[in-house]
Amino acid sequence: MLAFLAKGLFRDRSRSLFPLLTCAIGVSLVVVLDAYQRGAMDGMFRVMSSFVTGHLRVTTRAYAKAGTDASNDLALLGVDSVLAGLRRDFPEVTWTPRTRFGGLVDVPDSTGNTRVQSPAAGLAVDLSEASPEREILRIEKSLVTGHLPSASGEVLLSDDFARRLGVRLGDKVTLVSSTMNGSIATWNFILCGTVRFGILAMDRGAMLCDIKEIQQALDMPDAADQILGFLPREQYDDKLATRLASEFNAAHPGENEYAPEMETMRTASGLGSMFSLLDWAAALILIIFIVAMSVVLWNAGLMGSLRRYGEIGVRLAIGESKGAVYRSLLAEAFLVGLVGSAIGTAIGLGFSFYLQEVGFNVAGMMRNATMVIGDVIRARIAPMSYIVGFLPGLIATFLGAAISGLGVYKRQTAMLAKELGS
Amino acid sequence: MENGVVVCTDKLVRKFHVGRTELVALKEVSLEFRRGEFAGLVGPSGSGKTTLLNIIGTLDTPTSGSATVLGERVESLSPVRAASLRSRHIGFIFQTFNLLPVYTAYENVEFPLLLLGLSSAERRRKVTDALEWVGLADRAKSRPTQLSGGESQRVAIARAVVKRPELVLADEPTANLDAENSHKILQTMVGLNRDLGTTFIFSTHDEKVIRYLRRKVSLVDGRVAEDRTLEPGEVRSQKLE
Ligand SMILES: Nc1ncnc2c1ncn2[C@@H]1O[C@H](COP(=O)(O)OP(=O)(O)OP(=O)(O)O)[C@@H](O)[C@H]1O
Ligand SMILES: [Mg+2]
């Protein structure tokens, strides 16, 4: 009997293939969407942490309070000793100092007069041989021309920026900025290389130099804006970060606004609420999608049953009991749901894997974006990926058949038989 | 089933509720059918033929009165027992053939035997026999879409009689067939009735069918208007060809 029913299932495409495809397509979309959301979020967080906030950030209280208005006059003094303390107290975290600076880049012509001037967004980091920044900012990979600063006075510009300024490797570029104390500072650099990070905000007008260099240039000896900390795992762990930050802050009380304070990425980014919002939005999109898929699958089950009233009527007349017919409908739906969800999950995982390993370049679509975001969108497969589409696919298909199949029970046997052939 | 009584109805009433109005489809129908009968329910559309067949076939239950089919009281039969009674002893033939479209002729005929749990060897023998009775042994592998209307109905007959049921209920079996096919079908059924002793009850308003009947129960407006046994001679003389 089972073989007989299976034969019917395989032969009747509208009963097997179409629901199966519907299920597989829906499930694969859910799987990809889920992995994509996770990957996109990872990417955003990675860019945000690598380039802006770290997983942890130590600044003066005043600097933290000033938020995006913070400037170098609020920098942390005695950085070397703070850094040493951090490395001693939190050895599992990678600590690295940074200073942000703004100003004008002035390119002189052969006579020494200004040829072109443009505002620049500067970032000074530890570029020494053993620096963790090489890994964190992926500087070597981002190098388009030239080499990393190795001698004093060397600077990197973002490739687009250098092109726009019309400067070549070895050319002189002058930074016009202000010192920590507010007086004008000018400093001559030699362009030693150009970089492209694949992050629009960085690639437009960035200047990157060694932190020792900027300490001289802006007259801020042993000072830095911030010390960033990176947790061992690439992914941000808010619980761990929060714990470490409160440990540090408990050990560093005091009312001096130049005293160091540790913030987590969540608070430092000023995106605390956005973090949870993003989580919610992602969950919501997923839920809406799952519900939509379920409705479609359910409907498919409903259509299937309605279409089969004739067949069901004959089977009842020939002497199958309603229970047996209903159970066979459920078994079919279960089989279709199982296979469809498995296929859909496999396809979804395959595509997600591609997005995870290769990525999807959206640079062209986001020319004018100002957000700090990577231009390659990636997905990430997580344990959740294996069930996020599979279970709803299976359950929706099964429940769809279960509920629509109740019609078999509700209708009088004679009515089902009467609908034969019509 | 004493005295070879296969079906017995006593003051059978079946009412339907359509919105507020009540429609009485069967009004105190009392009838008896004996083993080996070849009987027809004849009457105009809406006279209650299908309703009566459905009750006799345990697909429906009466509103009042009783129906005894093969020794079982239809009105108090549980759905599972009713299904089991149908599967073992009752064969149905419908106006629109109602073959299961995804299965071959052979598989359609095999289906009732699967429900009875017969072995595959037994099934093969019985299905082959049944297809031979209806003259379609060579079309075993055809799908319903590849069969003509007449052939389809013959497969449906094979499906109804393959388990050698005591009772075959045929609701307007020739309504969708042309004259030639109608006669073929009826001759097939007459033969099965004669050779296997199967009881046939038809519903029909087709003159071609009526000519083959040995008993004609006329229903008018849910009542038995006439119940007449036709002489064998009468049948002979009316038979065409
Ligand atoms: N499920 C139902 N609900 C409501 N009314 C019904 C139902 N089934 C039958 N009837 C009504 O009962 C009456 C008898 O119907 P039935 O189908 O038994 O007639 P019939 O003699 O088979 O007619 P036909 O020759 O057209 O097939 C009709 O008036 C019909 O409308
Ligand atoms: Mg009818």
Side-chain angles (χ1 to χ4, degrees):
Chain A
M1 190 69 196
L2 271 180
F4 186 82
L5 292 174
K7 222 184 304 183
L9 181 60
F10 286 124
R11 284 186 200 161
D12 187 354
R13 292 202 179 157
S14 60
R15 229 159 96 196
S16 51
L17 191 62
F18 299 136
L20 194 111
L21 283 181
T22 315
C23 178
I25 290 169
V27 167
S28 61
L29 285 177
V30 168
V31 171
V32 171
L33 182 73
D34 172 64
Y36 161 76
Q37 278 186 346
R38 194 176 300 109
M41 219 109 99
D42 282 359
M44 256 170 66
F45 285 10
R46 194 191 70 76
V47 167
M48 175 70 90
S49 66
S50 303
F51 287 88
V52 186
T53 62
H55 293 154
L56 290 163
R57 184 174 75 173
V58 177
T59 61
T60 62
R61 293 175 188 195
Y63 189 96
K65 209 165 170 193
T68 50
D69 295 333
S71 57
N72 296 334
D73 55 324
L74 303 177
L76 201 57
L77 300 174
V79 167
D80 286 349
S81 81
V82 177
L83 203 51
L86 286 168
R87 285 181 177 146
R88 184 190 62 229
D89 297 341
F90 305 98
E92 73 274 31
V93 182
T94 304
W95 298 103
T96 179
R98 284 187 189 177
T99 294
R100 299 189 159 276
F101 58 94
L104 284 176
V105 168
D106 184 297
V107 182
D109 60 16
S110 53
T111 63
N113 292 321
T114 296
R115 176 162 62 84
V116 58
Q117 245 183 13
S118 177
L123 181 62
V125 303
D126 178 7
L127 287 175
S128 64
E129 204 63 50
S131 166
E133 295 283 17
R134 295 185 173 230
E135 183 55 35
I136 292 167
L137 296 176
R138 300 181 184 174
I139 300 179
E140 268 116 344
K141 271 188 213 152
S142 309
L143 210 57
V144 181
T145 60
H147 59 84
L148 294 186
S150 51
S152 74
E154 289 188 324
V155 74
L156 296 170
L157 290 180
S158 64
D159 196 56
D160 291 354
F161 193 33
R163 243 175 253 262
R164 199 142 38 83
L165 292 172
V167 288
R168 296 209 206 105
L169 296 186
D171 282 357
K172 192 160 94 173
V173 290
T174 306
L175 170 70
V176 182
S177 184
S178 61
T179 69
M180 234 185 122
N181 308 311
S183 41
I184 291 264
T186 61
W187 194 260
N188 290 328
F189 287 105
I190 300 293
L191 182 66
C192 68
T194 62
V195 285
R196 185 181 291 131
F197 291 106
I199 296 154
L200 295 143
M202 285 297 290
D203 289 339
R204 221 167 282 154
M207 186 174 204
L208 189 72
C209 69
D210 192 82
I211 192 154
K212 292 275 180 308
E213 191 82 26
I214 215 68
Q215 284 175 343
Q216 287 182 47
L218 304 185
D219 191 20
M220 43 193 302
D222 199 18
D225 278 358
Q226 43 193 263
I227 298 170
L228 300 189
F230 292 88
L231 299 174
R233 287 186 52 211
E234 195 182 349
Q235 264 154 55
Y236 174 62
D237 179 345
D238 193 49
K239 263 197 208 123
L240 179 58
T242 307
R243 187 166 59 75
L244 297 181
S246 52
E247 252 173 55
F248 178 89
N249 293 332
H252 294 79
E255 44 287 343
N256 183 352
E257 66 168 345
Y258 291 99
E261 181 187 61
M262 192 184 290
E263 288 181 286
T264 63
M265 177 182 179
R266 178 187 271 268
T267 51
S269 61
L271 296 176
S273 49
M274 184 145 148
F275 265 47
S276 28
L277 202 68
L278 278 176
D279 277 352
W280 275 109
L284 193 69
I285 291 172
L286 204 60
I287 288 169
I288 289 173
F289 213 79
I290 287 172
V291 168
M293 176 183 80
S294 304
V295 168
V296 168
L297 290 180
W298 177 337
N299 232 23
L302 205 63
M303 298 289 283
S305 296
L306 286 177
R307 212 177 50 78
R308 291 176 67 189
Y309 270 166
E311 176 206 330
I312 290 166
V314 181
R315 284 167 61 178
L316 292 175
I318 289 176
E320 238 181 313
S321 68
K322 283 185 173 185
V325 171
Y326 189 57
R327 281 192 297 279
S328 81
L329 291 180
L330 291 189
E332 278 182 20
F334 186 79
L335 195 69
V336 166
L338 196 70
V339 176
S341 300
I343 291 174
T345 300
I347 293 172
L349 284 175
F351 192 66
S352 302
F353 186 74
Y354 174 84
L355 281 181
Q356 175 174 295
E357 299 300 316
V358 182
F360 179 58
N361 199 318
V362 293
M365 303 178 203
M366 304 184 55
R367 198 133 281 155
N368 297 313
T370 51
M371 254 215 300
V372 181
I373 193 169
D375 59 5
V376 175
I377 281 179
R378 288 177 182 278
R380 175 158 61 90
I381 293 172
M384 184 73 173
S385 304
Y386 292 86
I387 54 164
V388 71
F390 186 86
L391 286 186
L394 179 57
I395 292 170
T397 309
F398 186 76
L399 274 189
I403 293 171
S404 57
L406 284 179
V408 173
Y409 273 108
K410 270 192 260 144
R411 298 198 160 221
Q412 291 179 353
T413 308
M415 281 305 289
L416 283 165
K418 207 166 192 172
E419 278 163 43
L420 296 178
S422 54
Chain B
M1 261 186 289
E2 306 116 58
N3 319 323
V5 175
V6 177
V7 175
C8 173
T9 70
D10 185 30
K11 296 196 172 134
L12 203 60
V13 175
R14 179 65 167 105
K15 296 177 182 168
F16 291 108
H17 294 274
V18 185
R20 291 266 171 83
T21 58
E22 190 184 75
L23 197 147
V24 188
L26 294 177
K27 297 168 186 160
E28 305 206 338
V29 173
S30 301
L31 285 168
E32 211 178 75
F33 295 92
R34 290 170 174 275
R35 181 183 306 280
E37 280 206 57
F38 202 77
L41 307 173
V42 181
S45 187
S47 56
K49 305 183 292 292
T50 299
T51 306
L52 181 56
L53 279 186
N54 281 342
I55 292 173
I56 294 173
T58 76
L59 292 173
D60 195 6
T61 45
T63 310
S64 68
S66 80
T68 309
V69 177
L70 299 164
E72 303 269 11
R73 296 288 283 258
V74 175
E75 61 273 19
S76 55
L77 211 52
S78 78
V80 172
R81 298 259 314 148
S84 151
L85 182 71
R86 289 198 295 277
S87 111
R88 281 178 294 125
H89 301 301
I90 303 175
F92 283 91
I93 299 167
F94 304 96
Q95 176 178 339
T96 48
F97 325 143
N98 286 300
L99 300 179
L100 302 176
V102 293
Y103 296 107
T104 62
Y106 182 95
E107 289 162 343
N108 264 283
V109 178
E110 187 186 21
F111 182 63
L113 303 180
L114 281 164
L115 285 182
L116 292 175
L118 297 190
S119 74
S120 71
E122 231 173 328
R123 293 200 305 266
R124 190 168 321 121
R125 187 173 53 75
K126 292 199 174 202
V127 173
T128 312
D129 283 353
L131 284 173
E132 254 159 36
W133 293 334
V134 298
L136 284 175
D138 55 333
R139 302 304 303 270
K141 289 207 163 62
S142 303
R143 295 278 184 91
T145 47
Q146 298 161 335
L147 297 172
S148 73
E151 287 165 341
S152 291
Q153 194 62 305
R154 272 146 65 200
V155 173
I157 292 169
R159 181 175 68 186
V161 299
V162 67
K163 61 193 175 194
R164 307 257 188 132
E166 311 247 0
L167 178 62
V168 171
L169 302 173
D171 195 357
E172 315 217 19
T174 59
N176 284 2
L177 297 179
D178 60 26
E180 192 189 331
N181 274 304
S182 297
H183 286 298
K184 267 195 194 155
I185 295 262
L186 281 155
Q187 279 155 15
T188 305
M189 292 198 274
V190 167
L192 291 168
N193 170 257
R194 185 186 56 223
D195 300 342
L196 306 179
T198 312
T199 309
F200 279 80
I201 303 177
F202 297 86
S203 95
T204 189
H205 41 217
D206 182 353
E207 279 303 318
K208 296 188 290 298
V209 177
I210 296 169
R211 282 177 201 148
Y212 286 86
L213 298 177
R214 290 204 302 275
R215 176 179 170 193
K216 179 176 149 189
V217 178
S218 299
L219 286 181
V220 175
D221 208 9
R223 271 183 222 287
V224 178
E226 187 191 34
D227 185 352
R228 195 153 78 93
T229 305
L230 306 174
E231 296 306 315
E234 227 174 319
V235 177
R236 288 282 151 257
S237 68
Q238 283 169 345
K239 195 167 158 185
L240 291 181
E241 291 154 276

